[in-house]
Amino acid sequence: MSHTPPVTAPRARIRRLTITRFRSYAAAQIEVADGPVVLTGPNGAGKTNLLEAISFFSPGRGLRRAPLDAIAQAGGDGSWAVAAQVEGALGEVMLGTGGDAPRADTPARRFRIDRETASSANAFLDHLKVVWLTPEMDGLFTGPPADRRRFLDRLVLAVDASHGTRVNALERALRTRNRVLEDGGDNRMLGAVEHELAELGVAVAAARLETVQRLATEIAAHADDASLFPYADIALDGALERLLATAPAVEVEDRYRAILQDNRPRDRAAGRTLEGPHLCDLAVAHGPKGLSAARCSTGEQKSLLIGLALSHARLVTAMQGHAPVVLLDDVVAYLDADRRAGLFAALSALGAQVWMSGADPLAFEALADAERFEVRPGEVRRAR
Amino acid sequence: MSRAVAGPEIERLIQLLGRMPGLGPRSARRATLHLIKKRETLMAPLALALQDVLGKIVECQVCGNVDVRDPCTVCTDIHREAGVIVVVAEVADLWALERANAINAKYHVLGGVLSPLDGVGPDDLNLGKLVARVQAGGLDEVILALGATVDAQTTAHYITDLLRDSGVKVTRLAHGVPVGGELDHLDEGTLSAAIRARTTL
């Protein structure tokens, strides 16, 4: 990381965060200046809740992937709100999101930009990008491929705002095909569904492939065998993705369509679609050692993941011209002193606004210019 | 539950108006009060108009549109191009295209889109009559004016296949650059679709 040149691109910054009836908080507000933000407090005090609140300024269900009805403070009317005063890519802006008190059976989420309604969280992406690392991601390399696909899709989403919509459409197309197979639908119906599925599947695979290739280039540009955060070798592993590397997308669509048609009996028997981008995997290896990430030690996996996240943040900065807001939930405490110092240096070089949480204030002592806050159940205040 | 502020007849009116799309309970109260205030000039003619339409409304047996006559006003309009049929999912889409004054053609309303996940199959849509209209001859083009959702696009592929051997040209709406849009703000999917649907100038 010592070779990383300082990033001069402007950064998106949250200046003030206000949360209302959110998780463990009835109400709380944090105002921050320029330094990295450090939230410390005992386990269960609500540190992650604050990071989660920020993660809602990104499309999706936030860093906990929470269902909408689980976010509001217990005992309230079910409504909740998060607002942020942001110095973003387009200047000063007030972003807001929240949920109304649930009526009937559908809790709805609302999005506001400068007090005007926005149609979805995608609109926030014009102003700021948010990326995060959480302890739940520690098992990423040894867990199921679905976790790595979700991780990859978040990486893509930060550089391609429409990726989420595309992935949702692909999932619907897959469910539709499985249902038609199950219901014994005729060939014409299956053909229609597969036509759409092939278009969406190839679009999703191409977007993932492009991000992986860009990220690999970014990693290669900063690869340093001596770094405490080893560089990763990354590749997208899947039949469709391999085809896309050598053939035009339209041709791959035709071939995927033919595969789907040939596989109908097999897929009908299995009750699901056995080929496609919904089964690809993000292959990650320890670059200097040339060893698959899954076979690395727990500590090495953690360092690899942090290195990957830093590379991605640099890629987002390079592509968008603005550094993203980085959330590191409980990441610092588990690093030794050298790695901690290395991480702080890398974050400083990144130029992004970073929000970090941890139980032990001592772990952040080396950060001279940090904005420190103490978190206690239901409240947060500036540390003295 | 709030206490009633008016007699049951008025409360019922509020309740019914509140079921209209775009109206919540609060705006339904406002609309009711407005009707009461203008009962001679608005409420009475509205009641008559509702009664009148209720008694006469029919589904067009040719295209599936709703009107007070069968065949509908659109189907019997001799000034429309008879060789082109625009296929839409709902009557609302027909009205939207007419509002845009985009094309002077006849229509075919499917009554929805294929959605196996919601239990909507080919037999639930107005597809048989579309095939019959195409087979009856005299058509040059069928335009599929369906949305860009998974279900709408699946429906478009289905109809394309259904009419493949009919000898009639089947086209669909272009997906691409919105009017007033800038290229660098478009996602790659939309850009690829726009390139695919490019036209000669």
Side-chain angles (χ1 to χ4, degrees):
Chain A
M1 289 298 149
S2 54
H3 292 203
T4 308
V7 176
T8 51
R11 56 182 173 174
R13 279 184 290 207
I14 293 173
R15 283 300 190 197
R16 190 172 65 219
L17 178 73
T18 311
I19 58 178
T20 312
R21 289 187 292 280
F22 184 88
R23 297 283 188 188
S24 55
Y25 296 88
Q29 191 170 75
I30 298 184
E31 290 200 44
V32 296
D34 283 336
V37 183
V38 172
L39 308 166
T40 55
N43 294 334
K47 302 180 293 294
T48 305
N49 295 346
L50 292 168
L51 300 185
E52 184 190 27
I54 297 172
S55 72
F56 279 117
F57 292 113
S58 180
R61 292 190 286 156
L63 58 73
R64 280 196 177 106
R65 306 189 62 241
L68 265 185
D69 56 7
I71 302 163
Q73 191 192 23
D77 65 357
S79 67
W80 59 276
V82 180
Q85 184 74 43
V86 172
E87 268 174 35
L90 305 175
E92 285 265 346
V93 68
M94 178 65 107
L95 306 182
T97 184
D100 291 328
R103 285 193 193 90
D105 50 353
T106 47
R109 209 175 130 195
R110 298 208 288 159
F111 312 94
R112 308 272 289 172
I113 297 178
D114 275 341
R115 300 185 180 182
E116 300 282 343
T117 298
S119 58
S120 75
N122 278 1
F124 294 148
L125 293 171
D126 291 340
H127 301 277
L128 89 163
K129 307 275 194 293
V130 186
V131 299
W132 57 77
L133 270 187
T134 67
E136 286 72 35
M137 290 152 81
D138 282 355
L140 186 72
F141 302 129
T142 49
D147 288 355
R148 286 184 291 281
R149 279 194 299 276
R150 198 176 303 120
F151 173 76
L152 172 59
D153 283 334
R154 286 221 69 84
L155 300 187
V156 181
L157 193 62
V159 292
D160 179 354
S162 58
H163 186 65
T165 313
R166 220 181 282 138
V167 170
N168 288 342
L170 172 64
E171 281 168 8
R172 184 171 176 94
L174 278 165
R175 286 201 308 274
T176 300
R177 179 174 185 265
N178 296 343
R179 175 65 64 84
V180 175
L181 282 171
E182 185 188 324
D183 292 349
D186 63 14
N187 285 343
R188 177 170 285 142
M189 186 67 204
L190 276 166
V193 174
E194 287 165 0
H195 199 113
E196 185 60 10
L197 175 55
E199 274 183 27
L200 287 166
V202 171
V204 166
R208 286 175 178 161
L209 194 63
E210 191 185 337
T211 300
V212 168
Q213 284 166 346
R214 282 177 192 267
L215 191 56
T217 308
E218 170 62 43
I219 292 170
H222 291 88
D224 173 4
D225 279 349
S227 171
L228 294 169
F229 299 104
Y231 66 87
D233 277 335
I234 57 169
L236 199 51
D237 189 12
L240 214 56
E241 291 73 11
R242 273 192 295 277
L243 274 178
L244 265 173
T246 55
V250 180
E251 200 181 307
V252 179
E253 269 176 30
D254 288 341
R255 287 168 73 171
Y256 185 36
R257 216 168 281 143
I259 291 170
L260 288 168
Q261 192 177 338
D262 290 347
N263 285 358
R264 283 175 194 170
R266 196 173 70 138
D267 291 351
R268 184 174 275 134
R272 63 204 169 91
T273 301
L274 294 169
E275 291 269 3
H278 57 295
L279 296 171
C280 80
D281 197 357
L282 176 68
V284 181
H286 188 293
K289 283 191 172 179
L291 188 67
S292 156
R295 297 177 59 200
C296 289
S297 74
T298 313
E300 281 173 330
Q301 290 187 23
K302 212 172 184 71
S303 297
L304 260 177
L305 188 58
I306 292 173
L308 203 52
L310 290 170
S311 300
H312 178 245
R314 272 201 303 272
L315 176 67
V316 174
T317 310
M319 288 183 69
Q320 312 287 333
H322 266 77
V325 171
V326 179
L327 311 177
L328 299 179
D329 184 26
D330 228 356
V331 170
V332 174
Y334 297 97
L335 301 175
D336 59 42
D338 284 349
R339 281 185 173 73
R340 227 179 278 158
L343 176 63
F344 294 156
L347 290 172
S348 164
L350 188 63
Q353 186 186 40
V354 188
W355 293 64
M356 289 172 273
S357 72
D360 182 9
L362 292 176
F364 301 93
E365 248 188 349
L367 270 175
D369 56 347
E371 307 258 335
R372 297 169 204 275
F373 293 88
E374 281 175 13
V375 182
R376 295 278 175 273
E379 65 171 324
V380 51
R381 60 168 181 245
R382 194 171 275 275
R384 280 182 295 163
Chain B
M1 195 71 190
S2 57
R3 279 187 299 179
V5 292
E9 295 84 354
I10 294 178
E11 284 294 338
R12 182 168 160 67
L13 180 58
I14 295 170
Q15 226 175 41
L16 289 172
L17 283 174
R19 285 200 217 155
M20 306 281 289
L23 287 190
R26 224 187 272 184
S27 33
R29 280 178 191 280
R30 222 169 24 236
T32 304
L33 274 177
H34 187 72
L35 286 171
I36 290 169
K37 240 186 245 172
K38 308 252 176 189
R39 48 188 173 279
E40 295 304 326
T41 54
L42 188 60
M43 192 193 255
L46 179 67
L48 279 176
L50 284 172
Q51 195 64 50
D52 204 21
V53 171
L54 178 67
K56 290 180 182 164
I57 197 138
V58 281
E59 187 177 295
C60 175
Q61 290 307 302
V62 179
C63 75
N65 188 14
V66 287
D67 204 343
V68 291
R69 64 174 78 157
D70 178 19
C72 70
T73 311
V74 175
C75 284
T76 50
D77 183 351
I78 54 164
H79 298 296
R80 286 175 186 271
E81 228 178 295
V84 180
I85 290 181
V86 182
V87 177
V88 292
E90 302 285 357
V91 174
D93 302 327
L94 187 160
W95 288 8
L97 283 166
E98 283 297 291
R99 231 180 15 247
N101 210 5
I103 188 162
N104 185 36
K106 307 241 169 158
Y107 287 88
H108 195 85
V109 183
L110 295 176
V113 288
L114 292 174
S115 178
L117 294 177
D118 298 326
V120 182
D123 295 342
D124 300 305
L125 301 182
N126 190 15
L127 284 170
K129 283 181 187 149
L130 175 65
V131 174
R133 286 176 83 181
V134 172
Q135 281 171 347
L139 285 182
D140 304 317
E141 184 176 359
V142 171
I143 302 173
L144 303 177
L146 301 167
T149 63
V150 171
D151 291 345
Q153 286 305 299
T154 300
T155 310
H157 297 312
Y158 186 90
I159 296 175
T160 307
D161 193 44
L162 195 62
L163 303 181
R164 190 174 301 283
D165 301 325
S166 65
V168 174
K169 182 162 84 168
V170 179
T171 57
R172 69 170 192 187
L173 295 191
H175 302 167
V177 185
V179 175
E182 290 187 50
L183 291 195
D184 65 347
H185 288 161
L186 288 183
D187 64 88
E188 282 142 21
T190 308
L191 271 175
S192 317
I195 288 283
R196 254 184 258 162
R198 68 190 182 278
T199 51
T200 311
L201 296 174

